Amino acid sequence: MHVMRARYAAAAAAAALCALAPFGAARADQKTVLLDDLPDRLGQFEVSPDGGRLYFAAGSAFLVFDAEGRLVDRYGAPTATRELVPLPGGWFLAALTHARGQLASYRPDGTLAKTLVGRGNRPQQLRADMTGWTSPTGLAVDAAAGRAFAVDTTMAPRDDRNLPDPDWSRIAVFDLEGKYLGEINAYSAYAADAKDNDARRTWYSDIEVDPARRRVYVTSRRTRELIAFDYDGKELARIAGPGNAIAVFPDGRVAVSGGDGYHGDPTIQVYDAELKPLRAVTAQ
C-alpha cells in the first residue's frame, strides 16, 4: 500500500502508516490513497475502526479525511493539537498541548466536551514544565479495556542543576473518564534513584496499542528503538533501529516508519506479532 500526501512527499511515510492500519487483508499493500488540501505541517494521526476516516493533528485543529483522501471536516481546539482517537459511539479522546495541554473528550460533531486530565505536578496529572508545550505528546486508547495511554514527557530546565533532558518521561495510564490508573517505564530526574533508572529516560516519537494482545508499543527517540510493554508495564521486547510513526494491524503485525521524530524516511518496516521483520515498504 502506498499513500501520498499531495505537495508533501517527504512526509509520505507517516501517511502510509495511517492507510496500512485499517486494512488487515493479505493484499493490504495494494491500496493507494492520495490526501489533498494539507497545511504545511501535520502531526500525529489515527484511523477510524472501519477505515473510513483519517484524523490528523494540524496546528490548532484536527483535520478529517475520508477513505479516498478528501478533506471532509475540521475540528477546532483551544490550543495546539497532538492526537485525536475515535471511540465507540462516535466520541473521541484528544491529546492537546501547549498552554492548555490536556486529555479531553470530543463530541461526535467534533466539538470539545470537557477536560479529563490537566497538567500539574501530581502523579494523577500530566506533568507541567517550564516550556508549557511538551506533555502530552502522544495518545493511544484501548476502548474495550477502558484504558488510555498518554506519553507524558517534559523538558529539563536550563539551570545550574544540569538535569538530563527530558527530566521526566513515562507512559501515564488513565481510564476513559480521566481516572489515573498507573504508569509505565517511568523516569524522574528528581527521584533518588534517577541515575539507576536513566535507561528509561527518553522522548517518544509515537505510541500505539494492540488491544487483542494487550500490548503498548512506543518508539524511543533517544535509544532509537521500538519498545513493547504489556498493560501492566512489563517490558516485552526492544527492536533496534530508527523509528517514528507506528501502526498496528488487527492480526498483530506492526508497521514502523523510518526517521527519528524530526527527519522523515519513506521506508516502513513491517514486523509480525512476535516483532520479527517481515518486509519493508517504501512510500513513493
Side-chain angles (χ1 to χ4, degrees):
M1 177 184 299
H2 298 288
V3 175
M4 290 296 291
R5 306 199 299 195
R7 299 181 290 125
Y8 300 100
L17 283 181
C18 79
L20 278 165
F23 300 99
R27 298 184 63 82
D29 60 342
Q30 300 304 307
K31 185 174 179 64
T32 298
V33 177
L34 176 69
L35 303 185
D36 284 318
D37 300 320
L38 300 184
D40 289 338
R41 298 183 63 184
L42 284 180
Q44 292 162 307
F45 60 87
E46 288 291 337
V47 184
S48 64
D50 64 1
R53 289 289 187 269
L54 314 177
Y55 303 95
F56 282 86
S60 60
F62 293 106
L63 301 185
V64 185
F65 294 86
D66 65 16
E68 301 305 317
R70 293 183 292 262
L71 179 64
V72 295
D73 213 338
R74 183 186 302 262
Y75 300 162
T79 184
T81 58
R82 285 287 190 184
E83 200 148 3
L84 185 71
V85 181
L87 301 175
W91 285 69
F92 302 88
L93 196 61
L96 306 174
T97 187
H98 285 205
R100 297 175 64 183
Q102 59 186 276
L103 299 183
S105 62
Y106 265 67
R107 300 181 183 92
D109 65 0
T111 57
L112 177 66
K114 63 179 179 179
T115 297
L116 299 177
V117 183
R119 288 202 298 221
N121 293 308
R122 295 180 295 164
Q124 60 266 41
Q125 296 174 300
L126 298 167
R127 188 77 168 184
D129 70 0
M130 50 87 185
T131 68
W133 57 261
T134 49
S135 185
T137 59
L139 176 66
V141 176
D142 181 344
R147 297 195 185 197
F149 302 86
V151 175
D152 185 24
T153 52
T154 58
M155 182 178 289
R158 302 295 189 258
D159 56 30
D160 57 9
R161 289 176 295 176
N162 294 317
L163 293 171
D165 192 46
D167 61 346
W168 174 275
S169 67
R170 67 173 182 166
I171 302 163
V173 188
F174 304 92
D175 70 12
L176 302 188
E177 296 299 321
K179 179 182 177 182
Y180 178 67
L181 300 178
E183 59 188 12
I184 295 172
N185 205 39
Y187 169 83
S188 171
Y190 308 93
D193 59 356
K195 289 186 177 179
D196 294 336
N197 289 325
D198 188 68
R200 298 180 178 180
R201 177 177 60 85
T202 187
W203 294 100
Y204 294 105
S205 293
D206 197 13
I207 181 169
E208 289 295 341
V209 293
D210 180 348
R213 294 156 189 82
R214 296 177 65 85
R215 294 178 185 171
V216 181
Y217 292 105
V218 289
T219 40
S220 168
R221 196 177 303 164
R222 179 191 177 200
T223 62
R224 293 175 173 258
E225 292 172 313
L226 171 68
I227 310 174
F229 300 95
D230 67 17
Y231 281 11
D232 295 322
K234 178 183 178 182
E235 184 177 309
L236 302 175
R238 285 178 179 253
I239 304 297
N244 194 358
I246 307 168
V248 179
F249 290 78
D251 64 4
R253 288 175 295 161
V254 181
V256 184
S257 72
D260 58 6
Y262 291 109
H263 306 95
D265 182 327
T267 302
I268 302 166
Q269 179 64 55
V270 182
Y271 302 91
D272 68 14
E274 303 306 316
L275 296 184
K276 296 178 180 178
L278 290 177
R279 62 178 301 187
V281 179
T282 300
Q284 299 294 334

